[in-house]
Each structure stands twice: as structure tokens, then as C-alpha cells.
């Protein structure tokens, strides 16, 4: 990277510098923004996202991926799985895009980080546009916006109604991972998952044996901030089960 | 002895709005006759307040011509403030006896009205029930429903005031499954013509659905009521504005969607001829969509419920065995349309099941498979653009599908298109093709809502007046019928050949030669299944 022409990139590591990509934490998810939305999952061009991989489908989705910390950690843990991050803010999406491109270029073994990508979209409305029924095996909701006021509870990304849509795109056995540092939100998410007939909470043994669970706390920027401040985190992890109505 | 106290009227136009298509010149007559009915014959002084830019300037101009003094405000909160301040000022400078009439739903007016009563004024509130509460309604001497007041005004011809007739929009026609009655919504009126007897109902109806057995129908009005009507009686199901209604084929449940994307379900038990009783009397949330739901439909076997929403997708939910606990399982999501979906019809016959068609503003009719949600075929009907009546000044016509219905036991569908004086016959087996284009002869009759009745095999059509007016009676709702036997459509029936004859047409259309039904409104919607 020529740092004279790209001052937003670090000279030493070649990676983009976060301070040039800062954006406000909030973006209204219920408004209709003007970004392109695929007409249907078959219209999603995976070759744009994963140029070196063909004939595979995305299996992991990080909803509200922020600065991409989780995706980076998961990429090396599951090198054969395609994963995509979804983020509403455009500046932050730009950062993650540049980060992934830079990592791919500078990766030592070659061919690393080819399995992650990011897309700018409103995941509350458009998840069915990107993923077919039962396509995903893991979905991540790390430190979502708490929307404290009761009138804004409709905007929370985990709610019993939105869980209908997430259950649709997750196949049977698919897992939803959520974590937050706000106790009330943690309780809300846990109870939504419990109330929903198509989700069943993982047992403690299953949580301990899942390598992804510990990444929830410390892989992302938000998680590291919480750990620095000595805050408590609240996890809720559930598996999608078959439902006979 | 007639009461000749002076009457003062305040009207908050944003709070109690005029229904779409209602002629504004009628309002002052409506209020005057409502006061006469209450026994007040004194001189009336009218004041109104509106938000600048929210009502058409033309509407406000017409209201002003009839004698209202209008204050234009910049925000809706200032409207209610204006009314309160104006009334307070008026109270200081006027003495009883006088009559204060307030047309508003502002709950905060309760204390003001109380003060008026205490001072000795007669008070009357005219309100819309869905937007106000008992806090306001129980206080004044009299309270009237806004829709009742508006409905009781005689028709007014704007041309007498030197003003042009206003462009109006679609009607809707609903046919009872065994053709015992035909219902047409025309503006404020819901006209139901029973072939046995006649009944005229007046509500500001927006959407209506017949149950398949024909024992009842459900309608939603703009005033915020969802009512279920049977032959003798009716019940309030819910107080909210519903945009779409669906009734399950075995009449077990009614579902309706509100303006926020929530879909509610009500269980009906024991429907018989005399009594319709929703059990529990409460509706439960069936599911919630992230955008507004505009169409709801049950599949003919009752297994699925389809909802078309504002993001141009159709979501197919499995209708659960215990619907009151919510429908959580999504069977499929049908993506592909690029504009709002206007109509849904099922293709269900002996060879092919589990398919449905959807028509939309993007000029396509698409064929879908219900359980997989896959798009089987897209039929582009923009080739019909050449048949459409177009003005030179208007931009190139977009061929929008307005209504559609399928002929049972066949794989044919009948489609009505915006601005085309005729209908299309589509054949949909594995793919959709335009089989026939049928022009309707005579006065440019553009069907905006169509409905098929099974037993007598007639296709009923309602049309809106064309623009620019071609016929002698531009403001009139018109109803026509076309026989449809063995999936073949023959020619249009003459007025006297329609079952019910000219009497039915008179009831549904209004008196054709002399009266102008200048107000016609509501979106089109299909009737219950056959």
C-alpha cells in the first residue's frame, strides 16, 4: 500500500486504520435506505464476494458485524466455510471491505481470508433476500443495539417475530449466538429464544465444547471494550429445532 | 318550539378527515342537517383548521367556498392548540344560550367541553371512534359519529358552484359465493343487494371479504373498525384500521392485517344462520412482518396463509393447529416482484395444486409454487401497453395489474389492467401465456375490480369512471357481468339480463341518469372464495 496516496492505511501492516472509518453507533433499521438489494437469493453474486471459491454457499452470517472482528477470528477457525457479515452503516462496511482485501493480499500462507466477506444491508428486513430456506448453519448477533425505550423494542434485532425469519434461513440444527453487556437486553433475548417454539437453548456441556462460544466475548472490538471496563456479559445460544405445528 | 340558538362549529380537519373521494362541498350541508336532526335550527358559524400542505389545496378551497373560515397551521399539534385557544377566546366573548359543536378526536378537549357545559352552553362532539376515547365522548351533551354525519348529507353537484367534478378511483365488488348477494363499495357506502331483499349499509368501508360458505362477511372500515356481518346481526371484531382480510375456507378463522405489519387472528366458533360469535372476543397476534402487509389470503386447503408486503415479497406461513399461539413456521418466501403486489389468486384444480398467481404494479403476473416459494414463470404484460387509453400529455403508460381471479377447475385466470377497457384471459399450466384479449364493447368500461361467482358462473365487474370522461355519466360506478361457462367467456350481458336486473343495478350503481355519484373510493379487493 502506498501510504502517500492512501493515508487511511497503515504504513507498517498495510491494513486500513479504523480512525478514518469511524461512524455513529446508531442507524435507524426501520427506514428504507438506498442500497442495492438482491431480488432473490439466486441473484446474489457470490463471485464478487468470494472470487477464489466456487460452487459453495454461505453458511455463517454475522448480523451487525461492525468492524469485522468476529469474522476475522472465525475465518481461520473454519477455513472451508463461507461467511458473510451484514452491516447497516456504510463507512463501517467500507472499512471491513478494505480490511478483508488487505488481509487477503498480505496473508502469509496464501489463500487465507478468502472465505469471508461483508455486505451493506438492513438485516432486519432483507435476510430472506440473501439466504435460501435452511441455508445457514450459524448466525451471530454480537452486542446488538439495546433500544432501551419500550416504544423502540420493535427495532431490536432479536424478537419473537424476527426469530421466525431466522428460523427460516437456518437449517435444522443451526445455531443462533447472542451476547450483550446490557442485562435487560440479555434477559429479553434469552426469553425470546425460549418462547419461540423453534429454538431450544444449548446445554452447558454443549456450550463448553463449542469453540465459537469463547470468541463471542473477546473477538470483537465491542467485546474487548467490555472486558477492558470489567463489564459482565450475557450470552444466549440456541439451536433451531424442527417444529410440528 | 324550535331551538334557534346560534351554533358555532369548529372542525379540526386533520383529526376528522374526509374520506377519499368525498366531495368537500357536502360538509357544511352534512353538519347543518346533523344539527337539524338534533333539534337546533339556529344560524351556524363555521371555523376549520388544517395543516398547510396535508390536505389538497383544492379541498380546502372548496370547504372555504361553502362558508368555513379556515386557519392554515404548520403542524398538526398546532391544530388542536388552535381549536382550544379559539374556543377559550370565544367563551369569553359569547354568552349562553349557544351551541358549540367540535369536530375533533382530541382527547384533551374533555376539560374544555366540561367548562362549556358548566357555563351553560350546549355542547356536541363529532368524532371518529378509533382515534378517541371515552374521556372525550362522555362529556358533551351530544356526541355523533363523523361517518354518520357525513353519510347523511345529500349529494351535491360541484358544477353548481362552478367547480369541476373530481377525479375518483376504484370501486370494489364482492360477490357472495352462491350469488345470493352482491356488494359494491362506493365511497362512504357499502351497498349490498340481496337477491331476496335489499339492504344498504353505510360505513366508510375499505376492505371486505366473504366467507366461503356465504354465511357472513367481514369488512374493515377507515374509521378503524373490523366488523363481521351475518344476515341479521353484526359484531365488532377489533378496533383498528385493517388493510387486508382473509377468511379460512372452512370459516374457522378470520385474519386481518393492520397498518404496522401485524397480522391478527380471530377464532370463530359455531357459525350458524342466526348468530356469529367470535370466541374469546379477542384477537391474537398471528405473526408480525417487518413491513406493512397489504394482502392476505388463505390457500384453498387452509394449510397456508399468504401475506404480500411492502417489500414486494409474499410470505407463506404454515397455518398452525393452534393459531392463537401464533404462526411461527414460515413455509416459503416468494421473491421476485419489483413493485407492489396488487392481487393474488390460486391455481387449484384436479391436475395442478399448490400454485398461485400474483399480479403487481411492475407489469408482470407471476406463477409461484406455494411450498417451495420458487418462481415458476413470469408473464410480462407490458405488451398490452398498446391497448391502453393514454393522454398525450401523460408519461408512457405503465401497465399495472389491478385485479385478478382464477376460474375454478381450470388453469385459467382473468386479469384486469389499469386503463384498459377489457380483460385478459391467461392460461397458466407450467407457464403463463396470454390466451385471449377481450375488449368490452360500449362506453369505455375499465374494470377495476372483478369477481367470479361459482354457482351461476358469472364474472362480475365494477368500473371507475374514465378520465377524461368519455361516457355521459362520468361520475358513476358501473357494474357489468359476463357469463363464464366451461371456462369460456361469452359476451357481456345486457343490463336486463343480469340476475337482479335493473333493480340490482340501480341499487348498486345509484340512479344513473339523474344523480351523480361523484364520490367513489377504496382500493379493489377480491371476494371470498368460490
Amino acid at each position: 500500500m502506498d501510504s502517500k496516496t492512501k493515508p487511511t492505511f497503515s504504513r507498517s501492516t498495510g491494513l486500513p486504520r479504523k480512525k478514518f472509518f469511524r461512524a455513529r453507533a446508531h442507524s435507524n433499521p426501520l427506514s428504507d435506505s438506498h442500497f442495492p438489494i438482491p431480488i432473490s437469493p439466486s441473484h446474489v453474486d457470490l463471485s464478487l464476494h468470494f472470487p477464489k471459491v466456487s460452487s459453495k454457499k454461505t453458511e455463517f452470517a454475522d448480523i451487525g458485524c461492525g468492524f469485522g472482528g468476529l469474522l476475522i477470528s472465525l475465518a481461520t477457525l473454519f477455513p472451508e466455510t463461507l461467511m458473510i457479515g451484514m452491516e447497516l452503516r456504510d463507512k463501517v462496511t467500507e472499512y471491513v471491505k478494505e480490511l478483508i482485501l488487505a488481509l487477503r493480499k498480505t496473508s502469509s500462507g496464501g489463500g487465507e481470508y478468502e472465505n469471508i466477506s461483508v455486505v451493506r444491508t438492513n438485516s432486519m428486513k432483507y435476510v430472506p433476500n440473501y439466504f435460501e430456506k435452511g441455508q445457514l448453519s450459524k448466525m451471530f448477533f454480537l452486542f446488538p443495539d439495546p433500544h432501551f425505550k419500550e416504544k423502540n423494542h420493535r427495532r431490536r434485532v432479536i424478537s419473537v417475530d424476527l426469530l421466525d425469519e431466522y428460523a427460516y434461513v437456518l437449517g435444522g440444527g443451526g445455531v443462533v449466538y447472542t451476547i450483550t453487556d446490557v442485562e435487560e437486553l440479555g434477559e429479553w433475548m434469552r426469553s425470546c429464544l425460549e418462547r419461540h417454539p423453534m429454538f431450544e437453548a444449548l446445554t452447558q456441556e454443549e456450550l463448553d465444547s463449542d469453540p465459537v462460544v469463547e470468541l463471542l466475548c473477546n473477538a470483537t472490538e465491542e467485546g474487548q471494550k467490555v472486558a477492558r471496563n470489567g463489564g459482565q456479559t450475557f450470552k444466549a445460544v440456541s439451536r433451531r429445532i424442527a417444529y410440528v405445528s | 318550539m324550535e331551538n334557534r340558538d346560534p351554533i358555532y362549529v369548529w372542525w379540526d380537519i386533520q383529526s376528522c378527515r374526509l374520506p377519499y373521494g368525498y366531495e368537500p362541498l357536502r360538509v357544511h350541508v352534512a353538519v347543518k342537517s346533523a344539527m337539524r336532526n338534533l333539534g337546533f335550527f339556529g344560524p351556524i358559524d363555521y371555523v376549520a383548521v388544517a395543516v398547510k400542505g396535508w390536505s389538497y389545496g383544492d379541498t380546502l378551497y372548496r370547504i372555504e367556498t361553502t362558508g368555513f373560515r379556515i386557519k392554515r397551521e404548520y403542524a398538526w399539534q398546532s391544530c388542536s392548540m388552535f381549536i382550544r385557544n379559539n374556543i377559550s377566546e370565544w367563551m369569553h366573548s359569547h354568552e349562553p344560550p349557544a351551541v358549540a359543536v367540535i369536530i375533533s378526536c382530541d382527547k384533551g378537549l374533555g376539560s374544555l367541553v366540561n367548562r362549556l357545559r358548566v357555563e351553560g352552553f350546549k355542547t356536541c362532539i363529532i368524532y371518529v371512534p378509533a382515534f378517541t376515547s371515552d374521556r372525550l365522548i362522555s362529556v358533551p351533551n351530544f356526541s355523533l359519529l363523523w361517518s354518520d354525519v357525513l353519510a347523511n348529507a345529500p349529494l351535491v353537484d360541484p358544477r353548481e358552484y362552478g367547480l369541476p367534478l373530481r377525479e375518483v378511483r376504484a370501486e370494489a365488488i364482492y360477490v357472495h359465493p352462491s350469488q345470493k348477494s352482491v356488494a359494491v363499495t362506493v365511497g362512504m357506502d357499502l351497498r349490498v343487494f340481496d337477491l331476496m331483499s335489499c339492504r344498504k349499509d353505510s360505513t366508510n368501508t375499505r376492505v371486505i371479504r366473504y366467507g366461503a360458505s356465504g354465511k357472513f362477511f367481514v369488512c374493515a372500515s377507515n374509521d378503524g373498525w373490523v366488523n363481521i356481518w351475518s344476515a341479521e346481526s353484526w359484531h365488532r371484531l377489533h378496533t383498528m384500521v385493517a388493510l387486508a382480510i382473509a377468511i379460512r375456507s372452512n370459516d374457522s378463522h378470520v385474519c386481518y392485517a393492520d397498518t404496522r405489519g401485524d397480522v391478527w387472528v380471530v377464532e370463530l366458533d359455531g357459525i350458524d344462520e342466526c348468530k356469529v360469535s367470535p370466541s374469546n372476543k379477542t384477537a391474537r397476534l398471528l405473526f408480525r412482518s417487518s413491513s406493512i402487509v397489504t394482502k392476505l389470503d388463505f390457500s384453498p386447503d387452509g394449510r397456508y396463509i399468504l401475506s404480500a408486503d411492502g417489500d414486494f415479497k409474499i410470505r407463506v406461513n404454515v397455518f398452525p393447529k393452534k393459531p392463537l399461539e401464533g404462526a411461527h413456521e414460515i413455509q416459503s418466501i416468494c421473491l421476485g416482484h419489483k413493485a407492489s403486489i396488487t392481487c393474488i389468486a390460486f391455481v387449484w384444480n384436479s391436475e395442478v395444486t399448490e400454485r398461485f398467481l400474483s399480479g403487481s404494479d411492475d407489469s408482470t403476473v407471476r406463477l409461484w409454487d406455494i411450498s417451495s416459494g420458487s418462481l415458476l414463470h413470469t408473464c410480462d404484460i407490458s405488451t398490452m401497453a398498446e391497448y391502453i387509453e393514454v393522454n398525450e400529455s401523460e408519461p408512457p403508460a405503465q401497465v399495472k395489474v389491478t385485479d385478478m381471479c382464477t376460474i375454478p377447475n381450470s388453469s385459467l385466470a382473468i386479469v384486469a389492467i389499469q386503463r384498459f377497457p377489457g380483460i385478459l384471459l391467461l392460461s397458466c399450466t407450467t407457464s403463463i401465456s396470454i390466451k385471449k384479449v377481450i375488449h368490452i364493447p360500449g362506453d369505455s368500461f375499465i374494470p377495476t375490480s372483478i369477481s367470479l361467482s361459482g354457482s351461476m358462473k358469472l364474472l362480475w365487474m365494477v368500473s371507475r369512471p374514465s378520465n377524461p370522461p368519455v361516457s355521459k355519466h362520468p361520475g358513476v360506478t358501473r357494474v357489468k357481468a359476463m357469463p363464464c361457462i366451461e371456462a369460456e367467456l361469452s359476451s357481456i350481458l345486457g343490463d336486463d339480463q343480469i340476475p337482479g336486473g335493473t333493480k340490482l343495478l340501480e341499487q348498486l350503481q345509484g340512479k344513473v341518469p339523474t344523480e351523480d355519484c361523484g364520490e367513489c373510493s377504496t382500493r379493489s379487493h377480491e371476494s371470498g372464495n368460490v
Side-chain angles (χ1 to χ4, degrees), chain B residues 199-221:
Chain B
R199 178 177 64 194
K200 183 169 178 247
D201 299 308
S202 181
T203 51
N204 192 356
T205 313
R206 193 190 184 114
V207 187
I208 178 177
R209 209 83 198 224
Y210 264 105
S213 64
K215 293 194 181 124
F216 63 91
F217 65 86
V218 181
C219 68
S221 78

Side-chain angles (χ1 to χ4, degrees), chain B residues 364-385:
Chain B
T364 57
V365 174
R366 295 182 196 237
L367 181 65
W368 311 85
D369 176 57
I370 290 193
S371 47
S372 64
S374 49
L375 174 58
L376 297 174
H377 194 245
T378 307
C379 175
D380 189 359
I381 50 168
S382 52
T383 47
M384 293 299 301

